[in-house]
Amino acid sequence: MRINKYLANLGVDSRRAIDKLIDEGKILVNGSVALSGMKVDENDEIIINGKNINKKSQNKKVYFMLNKPQKVLSAVKDDRGRKLVTDLIDTDERIFPIGRLDYDTEGLIILTNDGDIYNRVIHPRGEVFKTYYVEIQGSISMTSLNKIKKGIELDGKMTLPAKAKIISSTSNTTTLNVSIKEGRNRQIRRMFESVGHKVTFLKRISIGNLLLDEKLKIGGYRPLKKSEINYLYSL
């Protein structure tokens, strides 16, 4: 099996993160620096940052739904000492978030040690829309809303088509549900800024058919149900 998939299946990290470790020369296979795309199996000695990774020693797979607060980083480490999503969950397993939520965005995020579902959830070629509750300044015109839906140019590249539905609107504030497939840096905020509206509040409420549990307070979490795990694997 390709090394990135093999290690992701063991819950070491996502395939993307593992590829980065390989590029940085931090993974050894049988005493030699690992190469991208190489094949490995359970008989190979794999060492990551000096730690021997043994398939038999890997612990069970865990899956958590977190209602992420604002001012919490969607990462497993930070050189600036900010609070991490992993700090909010009490587990002995080494978990990581599937995808990211901006530092100032709250809501649904999944954390796990199962790297196999990572690409199923975040890859834009899939049909997985992530839905956000959005509050913006001012009353948005249908012309501007249609631009959001069709795609906005960010950093020289058009965003994929989005879904957007107005919930309420006054001269001061508009609230919407917006669904996107991608996860570019501060994407929704930048899309609305490009049509002249500042986002004042942003919360992810669903990933595909997986809904944020309304019983979870900000900063609260719970294990995913078996049906929810099966749904993520079906993506």
Side-chain angles (χ1 to χ4, degrees):
M1 186 181 296
R2 290 170 65 93
I3 186 170
N4 61 353
K5 182 177 181 181
Y6 178 81
L7 292 176
N9 287 348
L10 292 184
V12 173
D13 212 327
S14 69
R15 295 189 196 183
R16 184 179 298 178
I18 291 165
D19 286 336
K20 184 178 179 182
L21 290 173
I22 293 172
D23 291 340
E24 294 172 349
K26 295 180 178 179
I27 301 181
L28 300 179
V29 177
N30 300 323
S32 300
V33 176
L35 300 175
S36 179
M38 70 183 300
K39 300 293 184 66
V40 296
D41 60 35
E42 61 183 356
N43 297 315
D44 290 308
E45 180 187 60
I46 303 175
I47 297 176
I48 302 177
N49 290 325
K51 182 179 179 181
N52 195 341
I53 303 299
N54 185 324
K55 184 173 182 179
K56 295 180 181 179
S57 69
Q58 295 299 312
N59 294 320
K60 66 178 182 178
K61 302 286 177 62
V62 293
Y63 310 83
F64 298 100
M65 171 186 293
L66 171 68
N67 189 354
K68 175 191 167 301
Q70 297 179 26
K71 309 300 181 184
V72 176
L73 195 65
S74 298
V76 297
K77 59 183 177 180
D78 179 48
D79 56 9
R80 294 166 57 184
R82 291 172 291 183
K83 180 169 283 191
L84 308 172
V85 287
T86 50
D87 295 332
L88 302 179
I89 296 180
D90 184 14
T91 179
D92 293 330
E93 307 299 332
R94 184 171 60 180
I95 58 176
F96 56 89
I98 298 181
R100 293 178 180 272
L101 282 179
D102 294 336
Y103 189 61
D104 293 323
T105 299
E106 62 184 60
L108 173 62
I109 191 166
I110 304 302
L111 294 99
T112 182
N113 58 355
D114 183 354
D116 192 42
I117 65 172
Y118 184 85
N119 284 330
R120 296 174 184 266
V121 175
I122 70 165
H123 204 292
R125 281 202 299 264
E127 294 296 328
V128 188
F129 278 97
K130 290 85 172 177
T131 300
Y132 297 78
Y133 171 80
V134 188
E135 294 180 3
I136 62 173
Q137 290 181 347
S139 176
I140 190 169
S141 69
M142 291 308 299
T143 298
S144 294
L145 191 63
N146 286 333
K147 289 181 180 179
I148 296 289
K149 291 179 179 180
K150 291 179 180 179
I152 298 289
E153 184 175 329
L154 300 177
D155 302 322
K157 182 180 179 181
M158 298 296 292
T159 60
L160 293 176
K163 299 177 182 179
K165 181 180 180 180
I166 294 175
I167 301 171
S168 65
S169 182
T170 68
S171 60
N172 296 322
T173 304
T174 301
T175 62
L176 313 92
N177 281 344
V178 178
S179 302
I180 60 174
K181 292 182 183 180
E182 302 168 282
R184 300 196 212 176
N185 184 40
R186 299 176 63 82
Q187 179 173 337
I188 288 181
R189 296 179 189 275
R190 294 168 65 200
M191 289 168 68
F192 279 98
E193 285 171 2
S194 72
V195 294
H197 295 274
K198 180 180 179 181
V199 172
T200 56
F201 181 77
L202 186 58
K203 179 176 184 176
R204 184 158 67 192
I205 57 176
S206 70
I207 299 173
N209 294 332
L210 182 65
L211 305 178
L212 177 64
D213 192 330
E214 295 180 352
K215 297 179 181 179
L216 286 181
K217 297 179 180 179
I218 296 294
Y221 69 93
R222 67 163 172 80
L224 288 186
K225 301 173 183 177
K226 182 65 175 178
S227 59
E228 292 170 333
I229 298 169
N230 290 340
Y231 169 69
L232 293 178
Y233 264 103
S234 75
L235 297 175

